[in-house]
Amino acid sequence: MRVLGVDPGLTRCGVGVVEGVPGRTLTMLGVGVVRTPVDADLGHRLVAVEQGIEQWLDEHRPEFVAVERVFSQHNVRTVMGTAQASAVAMLCAARRGIPVALHTPSEVKAAVTGTGRADKAQVGAMVTRLLRLDAPPKPADAADALALAICHIWRAPAQNRLQQAVALHASKHVSKGRTA
C-alpha cells in the first residue's frame, strides 16, 4: 500500500509518501513541505498548495491519501488556513479517484508513539525509527505527514473490516424488513 500523508497548512503543508503493509517494514519514498509566502493573496496560496500536492501525486502515484482531520484550535485564523489546505488536498485526490482518509492528531500520535498525547519531538523520533531514517524529517510538518501515512497503513485494514461488518449487519436487517 502506498500512502501520501498530508499535514495541511497554508504556510507549510507537510507531505510524505510511505509504502508498506501492517506487520512489515515500511519504506519512505519521499518527504517534504509545500510552502506558500505569508504575504501572498489567499487564492494564490491555495493554488500553490494545489500545484504542490499535484506534483506529489504525479511523482508518487499513491493508492490512498491520508489527511489530518482539522480540529478546533483557539486561533480561528490558523484553523481556517488549515481547513482550506486540507480541502485542497482532498480535492486533488478526489479529482483523481484516490480514496481519502481523515485521521485525528491524537489518532496519529497513538498509532505511531503509543500515546495520543505525544509531542512533536516524540512523533519525529518514532517516525525516524519506524522508517529507519538517519534523522527526523524537518520541519515537524514533514514528520507529521509521514506519521499520517504510517497511521493509515496500520489502521486502514482494520477500519475496512469494521466498515464491511457494519454494512453486512445493516444489510441483513434491511433485507429482513427491519431497519438498523
Side-chain angles (χ1 to χ4, degrees), residues 17-179:
V17 181
V18 176
E19 190 168 64
V21 295
R24 303 274 181 171
T25 303
L26 301 173
T27 304
M28 180 189 75
L29 301 179
V31 66
V33 177
V34 176
R35 296 179 187 272
T36 69
V38 294
D39 58 346
D41 173 69
L42 175 61
H44 289 101
R45 293 178 81 185
L46 293 172
V47 168
V49 170
E50 178 201 23
Q51 290 171 341
I53 290 172
E54 289 288 350
Q55 287 175 350
W56 279 84
L57 292 171
D58 285 342
E59 183 177 344
H60 295 284
R61 305 265 183 230
E63 299 165 77
F64 298 92
V65 173
V67 180
E68 184 175 275
R69 183 182 300 273
V70 178
F71 65 99
S72 179
Q73 296 173 332
H74 298 294
N75 186 342
V76 175
R77 188 172 176 192
T78 301
V79 171
M80 290 301 294
T82 302
Q84 291 162 335
S86 177
V88 168
M90 290 186 280
L91 174 68
C92 290
R95 197 184 288 143
R96 293 170 181 244
I98 301 170
V100 175
L102 300 175
H103 298 282
T104 65
S106 58
E107 180 185 358
V108 173
K109 291 173 185 179
V112 174
T113 71
T115 176
R117 295 177 180 247
D119 62 22
K120 294 260 186 208
Q122 290 170 307
V123 171
M126 284 306 296
V127 164
T128 302
R129 188 171 171 198
L130 292 167
L131 297 174
R132 300 169 329 279
L133 305 175
D134 294 332
K138 298 287 183 196
D141 309 273
D144 289 348
L146 291 171
L148 275 151
I150 293 167
C151 174
H152 187 74
I153 290 169
W154 285 352
R155 295 196 169 202
Q159 288 173 338
N160 290 342
R161 286 191 300 275
L162 284 171
Q163 289 171 347
Q164 289 168 352
V166 168
L168 179 63
H169 178 74
S171 69
K172 285 181 180 179
H173 283 284
V174 170
S175 66
K176 292 180 181 179
R178 294 182 282 184
T179 56

